[in-house]
């Protein structure tokens, strides 16, 4: 099954073609603090519960959401630097425009 980027408004899918175009895909960190930073940066709301979205085990973000300085290069391969947090989110403008404002994390996240 093809995975899609979890960022709101991003339609990038993890395919051979997207990888050939130089995109990379990154799973949410397992480290609790770093994972919380990513969740806050993604700023996504669960449509059913209306609470902050918690990524599942297969959730990914594409490289479009990271600064070039967030990567280390090893020849042809690129890897996210330790501590990198996604910071580039281009919302699709619908009727009211982009409302990408930081969400307050809930206590159940342990933050």
């Amino acid at each position: 099954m093809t995975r899609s980027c979890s960022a709101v408004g991003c339609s990038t899918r993890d395919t051979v073609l997207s990888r050939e175009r130089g995109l990379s895909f990154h799973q949410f960190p397992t480290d609790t603090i770093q994972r919380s930073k990513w969740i806050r940066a993604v700023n996504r709301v669960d449509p059913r519960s209306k609470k902050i979205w918690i990524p599942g085990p297969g959730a990914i973000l594409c490289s479009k959401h990271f600064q070039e300085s967030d990567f280390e290069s090893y020849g042809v391969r690129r890897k996210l630097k330790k501590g990198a947090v996604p910071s580039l989110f281009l919302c699709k403008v619908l009727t009211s425009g982009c409302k990408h404002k930081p969400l307050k994390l809930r206590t159940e996240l342990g933050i």
Side-chain angles (χ1 to χ4, degrees):
M1 184 169 128
T2 303
R3 298 185 301 172
S4 298
C5 180
S6 297
V8 174
C10 185
S11 59
T12 305
R13 297 172 57 108
D14 186 358
T15 64
V16 172
L17 183 57
S18 59
R19 288 184 181 266
E20 286 175 353
R21 291 180 177 160
L23 294 173
S24 54
F25 296 85
H26 309 277
Q27 290 189 309
F28 279 70
T30 54
D31 175 77
T32 305
I33 294 170
Q34 189 68 7
R35 185 178 184 84
S36 297
K37 289 178 182 179
W38 280 40
I39 291 169
R40 185 178 299 132
V42 170
N43 196 31
R44 188 171 163 177
V45 176
D46 185 291
R48 287 182 230 130
S49 69
K50 304 298 184 208
K51 294 181 180 178
I52 193 163
W53 173 78
I54 305 299
I60 57 173
L61 288 178
C62 71
S63 54
K64 292 179 181 180
H65 305 292
F66 295 89
Q67 301 279 342
E68 196 58 41
S69 61
D70 289 332
F71 292 95
E72 297 175 324
S73 293
Y74 298 97
V76 182
R77 289 189 52 110
R78 290 188 332 161
K79 179 182 172 184
L80 279 176
K81 291 180 181 175
K82 184 176 181 174
V85 177
S87 59
L88 304 175
F89 296 93
L90 305 173
C91 298
K92 289 184 178 179
V93 178
L94 300 174
T95 54
S96 58
C98 180
K99 293 184 178 176
H100 196 83
K101 297 177 184 170
L103 294 172
K104 292 183 181 169
L105 292 174
R106 302 195 180 277
T107 56
E108 67 247 20
L109 290 176
I111 301 170

